[in-house]
Amino acid sequence: MSPGPARGRTGRATGADGGPRRGPARRWQLVRAGSDAVPPSTRRFMARARQRRMRAALPWAVLAGVLVLAALAAWTVLGSGLFGVREVRVEGARLVTPVEVRDAAAVPDGVPLARVDLAATARRIGGLPPVERATVRRDWPDTLVVTVVERTGVAAVPRDDRFVVLDASGVVFRELPRAPQGLPLVRLATPGPDDPGTRAALQVLAVLTPQLRAVLVEVGVEGLARIGLRLRDGRTVVWGDATRGEDKARVATALLGRKADTIDVSAPDVVTFR
């Protein structure tokens, strides 16, 4: 009978070297359970949980996408040169040149079209003397369109050896070497919108009948109460001040056929001839 394994003092089996005897090493392996190993109720619960998580995350994902697209679009329009100003197109200008309008607009080439202050640009262009008002609009992708309304002359004022042109509000907007055709002359010391004599002369011109306008050569303003008209045939109409202008115009028109060198309508109820 062969002897059994040696045992130490503790009674445990010992190996040939006298150490404790070890059994064979165990190796562990994870095995994925098949789908049949998970109960159907558990699978349904897990599927519903995934759907809830996806539905909860979807709005945030959409919002993030929209914000990214909005930021990209804003940068493209406001920050890049893709939609920069390449042209300033001028419409309605006759007394000013397109170059003068572009210089007054002062919009640098390439500045993003969306960042141009349209109102400020229109005000700068409106500072040109011949321009009564201007409007500015965007024409995508790269053009500013400037529409100009210019002043209309109603009278010319001799000044030194030249003539300045006034509009209906008294603004001096043009200077010419010769008297312009079709405009009456107004003799004033200091023409301008703030000059009382200028305003009085323009009041008189505004109420003249077509018959008087057809024969008018010049309005002389020696004082606010000393306004006179010089007609084409050399006669003079004493107008007085600018009050009761329509009555004076009506009476003077009715008396154009009278033979008189001077027609005084300064008091239209009592007319005198000389």
Side-chain angles (χ1 to χ4, degrees):
M1 184 174 182
S2 61
R7 296 182 180 272
R9 293 181 181 180
T10 59
R12 295 180 181 177
T14 59
D17 59 355
R21 186 177 178 179
R22 295 183 177 87
R26 295 182 178 180
R27 295 183 179 180
W28 298 93
Q29 183 177 2
L30 294 176
V31 178
R32 184 179 298 274
S35 59
D36 294 339
V38 180
S41 60
T42 302
R43 291 200 299 270
R44 289 194 297 269
F45 174 80
M46 295 173 65
R48 288 195 294 268
R50 284 195 300 270
Q51 290 175 357
R52 285 195 296 270
R53 288 194 297 270
M54 291 179 63
R55 285 196 296 267
L58 182 60
W60 295 102
V62 172
L63 178 60
V66 170
L67 291 177
V68 170
L69 291 176
L72 180 61
W75 177 82
T76 302
V77 174
L78 298 173
S80 74
L82 185 61
F83 294 101
V85 175
R86 299 288 182 269
E87 179 187 1
V88 178
R89 189 164 68 243
V90 182
E91 300 175 349
R94 294 182 302 104
L95 303 179
V96 292
T97 66
V99 173
E100 290 174 320
V101 173
R102 295 187 187 104
D103 289 344
V107 176
D109 289 341
V111 66
L113 189 61
R115 291 171 54 188
V116 176
D117 188 332
L118 301 184
T121 304
R123 284 194 297 271
R124 290 193 294 269
I125 297 170
L128 294 171
V131 177
E132 183 175 353
R133 65 181 181 274
T135 57
V136 182
R137 62 180 176 85
R138 299 180 181 90
D139 187 9
W140 296 96
D142 58 7
T143 303
L144 277 179
V145 180
V146 179
T147 302
V148 172
V149 177
E150 295 179 328
R151 299 183 186 276
T152 301
V154 298
V157 180
R159 187 159 64 182
D160 298 329
D161 58 346
R162 299 178 70 81
F163 296 84
V164 296
V165 181
L166 305 178
D167 72 350
S169 59
V171 174
V172 176
F173 68 93
R174 199 177 181 193
E175 185 172 315
L176 299 172
R178 295 181 297 275
Q181 295 291 328
L183 293 183
L185 297 180
V186 178
R187 296 199 175 271
L188 294 164
T190 55
D194 298 325
D195 174 51
T198 300
R199 293 198 297 268
L202 294 175
Q203 282 182 265
V204 173
L205 287 174
V207 298
L208 294 182
T209 62
Q211 294 89 336
L212 277 176
R213 280 186 171 277
V215 297
L216 177 67
V217 174
E218 179 181 293
V219 178
V221 183
E222 297 180 8
L224 293 181
R226 298 172 62 191
I227 301 172
L229 312 182
R230 184 164 67 86
L231 306 183
R232 187 168 296 155
D233 57 7
R235 292 188 293 174
T236 300
V237 177
V238 178
W239 199 270
D241 60 23
T243 62
R244 300 189 64 184
E246 293 182 356
D247 292 337
K248 294 175 182 180
R250 177 174 48 79
V251 172
T253 301
L255 298 174
L256 285 177
R258 299 288 293 268
K259 292 184 178 180
D261 293 334
T262 301
I263 304 172
D264 189 339
V265 295
S266 56
D269 298 326
V270 182
V271 179
T272 60
F273 302 93
R274 292 192 296 273

